[in-house]
Amino acid sequence: MSAESSTSSRAVCTLCDAHCGLRVKVQGGRVTEVRGDQDDPFTRGHICPKAAALGDLMDDPDRVRTPLKRVAGGFVPVSWEEALADIGSRLAEIRGRAGVDAVATYLGNPTAHDYGAAIASTVLRGTFGGRNHFSAASLDNLPRLVASATLYGAAAAVPVPDLDHTQHLLIIGANPMVSNGSGMVSPDIGRRLRAIQERGGRIVVVDPRRTETAALADAHHFVRPGTDALLLLAMIDRLFANGTAARSPFCRDTGFEALGQAASAFSAERVCGHVGLAAETIRALADELGAAHRGICYGRMGTCVQEHGTTTTLLVDLVNALTGNLDREGGVRFATPAVDMVRLSALSGAALQPGRSRVAGRPSFLGELPVAALLEELETPGVGQIEAVIVNAGNPVLSNPDGTRLGAALAGLPLLVCVDLFVNETSSLAHYILPTPVALERPHYPFLFAAQGVRNFASFDDAVISPPPGTREGWDVLLQIAYETLRREGLGQRVAALGVAAIRRLRPERILEALLRVGPQRHLGLSLASLRSAGTTVDLGPLEARLGDVLRFTKHELNLFPGILAEQLEGLARQLGEAPPGLTLISRRTLRSNNSWMHNAPRLMRGASRCTLEMHPEDAERCGVSEGALATLSSAVGRIDVPVHVTPDIMPGVVCLPHGFGHGRAGTQLRVAASSPGASVNDVIDATRVDRVSGTSALSGQPVTVTKARPAASAAE
Ligand SMILES: Nc1nc2c(c(=O)[nH]1)N[C@H]1C(S)=C(S)[C@@H](COP(=O)(O)OP(=O)(O)OC[C@H]3O[C@@H](n4cnc5c(=O)[nH]c(N)nc54)[C@H](O)[C@@H]3O)O[C@H]1N2
Ligand SMILES: Nc1nc2c(c(=O)[nH]1)N[C@H]1C(S)=C(S)[C@@H](COP(=O)(O)OP(=O)(O)OC[C@H]3O[C@@H](n4cnc5c(=O)[nH]c(N)nc54)[C@H](O)[C@@H]3O)O[C@H]1N2
Ligand code: SF4
Ligand SMILES: [Mo]
């Protein structure tokens, strides 16, 4: 074959939850074209603009292609052997001297899309022990996981909207037309949403921003950030009052009466002034959902990353139960994936003892502490203070609240190791950057996400292009860090090191193969070989009734008024009496961004800066700022300057900035991103604002002020 001959291979886009099937053309060792896989029965050829930029990652001149070590004045390339031996001996020294809690891990979002790294990180954490393990889940869906563990006995028992069969979709705090669907693998979500309307169904959006999804919906209502729990309680009150709840299949379940009783203190009249929806609108939301033959109440980031994240998520599920839509066709259902995440999460839930963080006593869940504890655990001296952090596929300096301060704490550590492709805002502070293959350069199985398909599906795809020779797969790097550390420690750890070496020899494929063979779709004889030879996604059919199976396995009884909900009601009632804050801040996603990265792909960065502060005309006028003007956005923890975009599409009293920008920092090597740096919204978000139940960061609802920015010359005085 000549170097110029081209091949077209099947792959999956791993950037977001949608898992679009791809056809990738490779010519002369380079990705020359990325198209949708028309033969994929699940994704049907759909892709978004980000898929085309996957090839840019392979060619990016800024990409790290060999391990880098920090020296005075910058980074120098080193061999893998030198890097791993030094990291292992420094970690062993810290653990021996300061204890296992002194070494922390942080798993960023792409870890969830890399099944090998997901498995290996569990091995690393399990063999290292200690409590200081963090991930982006506590900036994301942790309330969802806690609510599922509470109601169904397993964190991974996530009710998935049965979009393709529903007649009514109430979307609270999600923007699937931009995010492409989250907490549900729903490729080509636009087509799926329009199909609801084409078959006579309705889509209603409740969001403080008139989003791209609201533009497609039949109705949109502004809601004041952080008040969704009150709205949902009022809807529940109405469902009891209008007789819907009494007709639900769950009306004899534990907690039914108590839930109705509790909700009666939150009538639509009582909460309407606070949530910003008229009482009759709130009642209509409940009536419509109750009357729909098949309906869905669906919440995502907006219902999770706020001060009542877990309560709100529980209430979303309870609305589905009371309207008869839990476990019903066209309602919400549990997927039947080939690898049983429900069982794995229930088993690990039972194996891992809940604990608390050292400084603020924040709760751990499934062996992880919320990131809200990270900054205080880094900064507060004493036994158990974090001295080393291993980051896999994360950028906490931009993605975590109070990011600049977090960056300063990370920069002061004796050891920071980042497994990443770029010298980004976090890895630029590291002592070592260990580079890995990305997306198309490694095999892919939708390990965590197949449990959230709007249809059941499975796929296994090999790498379509060789990774840069100086990189090593994420799973391998994490296992080697564990091995090189443990083999330098006491007898028990040295035995554990042998176990790690054995898992490394086994490779993740074999673990996956074993899990497939015992999974809920085992009767189909699925194996890596059969999935590979299918050559595209295997459609395993529509969602089916599974609640009974889940509850039987977890030995859990459904309780519609669980203790953690009851405990929160007093606080919610108090909230009704409080005057709402002046301006509050929310964030947004944009189609051509992926959290804090993909900003170095030129084709995604064309056009005007997207990092603008959306403000309602009334607020802009009151704050003395106008379209395009630079404003100072301040909170109790920080201030940033950002250009204003005045728009009626944001609720009065709310301002909105995208997250993931702020690329102008010294030391980073992201030339395209730095050319349109923007500011980081997380520099004004207080790390101590949390959902009290789960510890999840309350990224939404931060009180802020906006003023006209002072001209640069006078600001410097
Ligand atoms: N204010 C505000 N903050 C937010 C959010 C918000 O809505 N508002 N959203 C939150 C959410 S939902 C999330 S998930 C987090 C995300 O936050 P994080 O998970 O902390 O970070 P990402 O921005 O996803 O950055 C991922 C990093 O992984 C690298 N990477 C990409 N692929 C791979 C790979 O295969 N292997 C390795 N080793 N590295 C890779 C990229 O170069 C990048 O540096 O942000 C959260 N922060
Ligand atoms: N293009 C693109 N796609 C992505 C990502 C990306 O960065 N870019 N990130 C991926 C990741 S990691 C995730 S987790 C998913 C997230 O997927 P989604 O949750 O669908 O995405 P968001 O845009 O964060 O939507 C949250 C919505 O909640 C609203 N909101 C904020 N606060 C509140 C509130 O208090 N109440 C209510 N009711 N609404 C509120 C916001 O205005 C926003 O419209 O997207 C994924 N897909
Ligand atoms: S929607 Fe876009 S980013 Fe998400 S998987 Fe599909 S192509 Fe990739
Ligand atoms: Mo996320």
Side-chain angles (χ1 to χ4, degrees), residues 106 108-109 140 393 395 399 419-420 424 442 587 589 596-597 682:
Y106 174 92
N109 168 272
D140 188 342
N395 193 5
S399 64
V419 186
D420 209 291
N424 66 16
R442 59 165 184 250
S587 36
R589 296 182 142 71
S596 77
W597 69 296
N682 283 318

Side-chain angles (χ1 to χ4, degrees), residues 50 140 173 175 178-179 207-208 225-226 228 301 589-590 593 595 700:
K50 288 197 291 300
D140 188 342
N175 189 10
V178 166
S179 68
D207 197 300
D228 307 86
M301 280 293 281
R589 296 182 142 71
T590 60
S593 274
N595 296 322
S700 275

